[in-house]
Amino acid sequence: MQIKYQAIILGGGQKAGSMLFPLCQSYSKSLLPVCNKPMILYQLDVLEIAGFGPQDILILLTKDHQAVADLVQRRAEIFYVSDDSDSGSALLEAHEKIKKDFILLSCDSMIGANILDLLDFHYSKKATITCLIKEEDLDKKQGRAPISCNLDESYDIMFIGSDHSLLHITNQEDDDQANLSISRNVLLSCESVQIMTNLFDTHIYVCQYEVLELFQKLSKLENEIQNWKLEFLPYIVKHQKNVNLLNLLSKQEQGLFHERKQQQFSIKVFITQEYARRLNNIKDYQQANYESMIKGNKGIQLYQGVQDSQIQIQYPQDARISPDSIIGEGTRIGNKVNIQRSIIGKNCTIGDHVKISNSIIMKNVVINSNCIIQHCILSNESAVGHTTELNKCNLGNLASVEPNQKIVDECII
């Protein structure tokens, strides 16, 4: 099957992963494991199932993320961008590599929704841009989404037209959210408008090719429009009926645009209740890992292959490991170890009498005897001395904790 779109994955630069400190202190966000599998591989799996081949997938990276390129080199094309690039400037640097309509993804966007359904919606609606939006079920008593979602930091207020048009978008963090404003022309463009507060932008967008040229022009005309999500998208949503903006999009210049003519500017939303979560902070990263351990009908379909292929490991008879825990290949478990609702990576060493609960342990981690680890994330090759208690702590790569410590709510690098 021939795909009519390119997939562009923003693979991470120097600025990526700042909200995941200390996990990404010296480690690419794309490689952070979910259920012992690097995040970016989930995205490649979803795209390949939809029919995208290596020639259709372009991953944008800075040169200090070579480990990502080594991992995916046979499954995608790599384009290196400047070290200080953000989402917008990276896309502009790679514009010569983008030849047709495209789907833009962030490396930390995890989805279970069918990409083909999204592409079909975009085509049928003749949209200029289609945003993949996750809808959370509202708590009828509280009138808001479940507490497991990172609502306090990431939910969006959206004005959605009756024709699925995105008329306004405001994040809760915006300083001017108390004074929502929308132009009369935009409001009159739809028969009715619904205001929704339980939606999350997944940072996945399907775009006509001309959008890239519009972004390039606006970045030159408006110095403040450099970031795709924070600057470009809100600008075009706000000014989508502005004649000057439409002229920029429809003006034909030799060698820049396809032969088709753009008659109107249309920003649509494809709302899904399937799994979708952006893992750009510690809380959502932890939540995605916990959700990956759920088995049965309530499990995340995207992750079932990881669970099904888990290698059976021989444990000491006195070890207690809950069914919803995942243990990586090559990991050694000591005597009287108790592991509850946790993910343990490959080639770890867990000493005798260790208790681990609600934690994510990455690969090559050493936890010495008589330790208690609760609600923690231990990055690759970190180490914990014997008789140490850690609660709500995050360890960076190669971090170590001395024996006989009791530490609560700390980042250790």
Side-chain angles (χ1 to χ4, degrees):
M1 178 177 63
Q2 185 177 5
I3 291 291
K4 298 180 180 179
Y5 298 86
Q6 278 183 278
I8 315 299
I9 301 177
L10 301 171
Q14 287 184 339
K15 300 177 184 178
S18 58
M19 294 178 66
L20 285 160
F21 180 85
L23 309 184
C24 294
Q25 182 192 17
S26 57
Y27 195 69
S28 173
K29 180 166 61 173
S30 299
L31 299 180
L32 282 181
V34 174
C35 200
N36 288 339
K37 179 177 177 179
M39 284 197 295
I40 198 167
L41 295 187
Y42 288 109
Q43 293 188 338
L44 292 177
D45 287 347
V46 168
L47 291 170
E48 289 169 2
I49 290 172
F52 286 79
Q55 71 282 357
D56 304 312
I57 304 173
L58 182 67
I59 302 178
L60 310 185
L61 297 169
T62 56
K63 290 185 178 179
D64 57 343
H65 291 267
Q66 184 59 42
V68 180
D70 294 340
L71 177 67
V72 304
Q73 58 181 336
R74 295 184 180 181
R75 301 178 65 178
E77 182 181 358
I78 304 298
F79 183 85
Y80 293 102
V81 298
S82 303
D83 291 341
D84 58 349
S85 295
D86 60 16
S87 59
S89 57
L91 194 63
L92 292 179
E93 286 183 46
H95 76 276
E96 292 185 357
K97 286 286 186 178
I98 303 173
K99 307 296 185 182
K100 51 188 176 181
D101 296 354
F102 59 94
I103 176 171
L104 180 66
L105 309 93
S106 295
C107 65
D108 55 11
S109 296
M110 302 292 290
I111 55 171
N114 190 325
I115 291 293
L116 289 179
D117 290 343
L118 170 64
L119 298 178
D120 289 344
F121 173 90
H122 174 79
Y123 180 79
S124 66
K125 296 295 182 181
K126 299 180 180 178
T128 310
I129 298 176
T130 299
C131 308
L132 177 61
I133 303 298
K134 165 65 174 174
E135 179 180 12
E136 293 288 356
D137 294 329
L138 287 175
D139 185 320
K140 294 181 180 179
K141 294 182 179 180
Q142 299 295 328
R144 59 185 298 175
I147 193 64
S148 62
C149 307
N150 204 1
L151 265 185
D152 292 337
E153 298 177 3
S154 60
Y155 82 89
D156 295 297
I157 301 170
M158 297 187 189
F159 289 40
I160 308 295
S162 53
D163 61 349
H164 302 278
S165 292
L166 177 59
L167 307 179
H168 181 86
I169 180 170
T170 302
N171 189 274
Q172 191 195 28
E173 293 179 327
D174 291 347
D175 294 334
D176 61 348
Q177 62 170 310
N179 300 309
L180 298 178
S181 63
I182 181 170
S183 73
R184 183 173 180 271
N185 287 340
V186 171
L187 280 176
L188 292 177
S189 65
C190 294
E191 294 181 0
S192 62
V193 178
Q194 184 178 13
I195 302 175
M196 302 184 70
T197 62
N198 63 326
L199 302 180
F200 296 79
D201 185 359
T202 65
H203 288 230
I204 297 175
Y205 313 100
V206 186
C207 304
Q208 290 186 3
Y209 174 79
E210 287 84 354
V211 172
L212 183 61
E213 296 296 341
L214 175 63
F215 186 27
Q216 191 173 37
K217 289 181 178 181
L218 284 176
S219 66
K220 293 178 179 179
L221 295 174
E222 305 281 350
N223 291 330
E224 69 273 13
I225 300 179
Q226 301 295 326
N227 184 286
W228 177 279
K229 161 64 178 176
L230 299 179
E231 297 163 355
F232 176 66
L233 185 62
Y235 183 90
I236 59 174
V237 170
K238 182 177 181 179
H239 298 281
Q240 58 187 289
K241 299 302 178 182
N242 185 292
V243 174
N244 293 329
L245 181 68
L246 295 176
N247 287 339
L248 276 178
L249 183 65
S250 60
K251 184 179 180 181
Q252 297 293 308
E253 295 181 12
Q254 185 176 2
L256 284 182
F257 295 106
H258 295 172
E259 292 182 359
R260 69 180 183 217
K261 292 184 178 180
Q262 182 68 35
Q263 300 297 329
Q264 61 181 355
F265 197 88
S266 175
I267 307 171
K268 302 293 186 180
V269 292
F270 179 79
I271 299 177
T272 182
Q273 292 185 337
E274 299 296 325
Y275 183 82
R277 184 184 292 276
R278 189 163 184 238
L279 314 186
N280 64 334
N281 58 71
I282 294 291
K283 181 178 178 180
D284 284 340
Y285 175 69
Q286 288 176 313
Q287 185 68 25
N289 274 277
Y290 297 151
E291 289 166 340
S292 73
M293 293 184 284
I294 300 174
K295 298 181 179 180
N297 294 333
K298 294 183 179 181
I300 303 169
Q301 184 177 2
L302 182 62
Y303 305 135
Q304 295 303 314
V306 177
Q307 295 171 339
D308 295 342
S309 63
Q310 183 187 2
I311 296 176
Q312 298 298 316
I313 299 173
Q314 298 298 319
Y315 314 122
Q317 290 185 351
D318 55 7
R320 296 178 58 188
I321 300 175
S322 67
D324 57 359
S325 292
I326 304 293
I327 310 296
E329 178 185 5
T331 287
R332 293 176 291 175
I333 304 293
N335 296 313
K336 295 186 177 180
V337 166
N338 189 329
I339 299 176
Q340 302 294 321
R341 196 176 180 239
S342 296
I343 297 175
I344 313 296
K346 295 181 179 180
N347 302 316
C348 293
T349 300
I350 312 297
D352 298 337
H353 302 277
V354 169
K355 296 181 180 179
I356 302 173
S357 61
N358 298 296
S359 294
I360 302 165
I361 314 297
M362 298 186 192
K363 61 184 180 182
N364 301 316
V365 173
V366 176
I367 302 175
N368 286 285
S369 60
N370 299 299
C371 289
I372 299 177
I373 311 293
Q374 297 176 301
H375 306 285
C376 294
I377 303 177
L378 277 56
S379 297
N380 296 333
E381 301 183 50
S382 56
V384 180
H386 63 78
T387 323
T388 287
E389 296 184 25
L390 299 179
N391 188 3
K392 299 180 181 178
C393 292
N394 299 320
L395 275 61
N397 291 341
L398 301 172
S400 62
V401 180
E402 296 295 323
N404 303 305
Q405 302 292 310
K406 190 171 183 178
I407 306 175
V408 178
D409 200 16
E410 293 284 350
C411 288
I412 302 171
I413 60 176

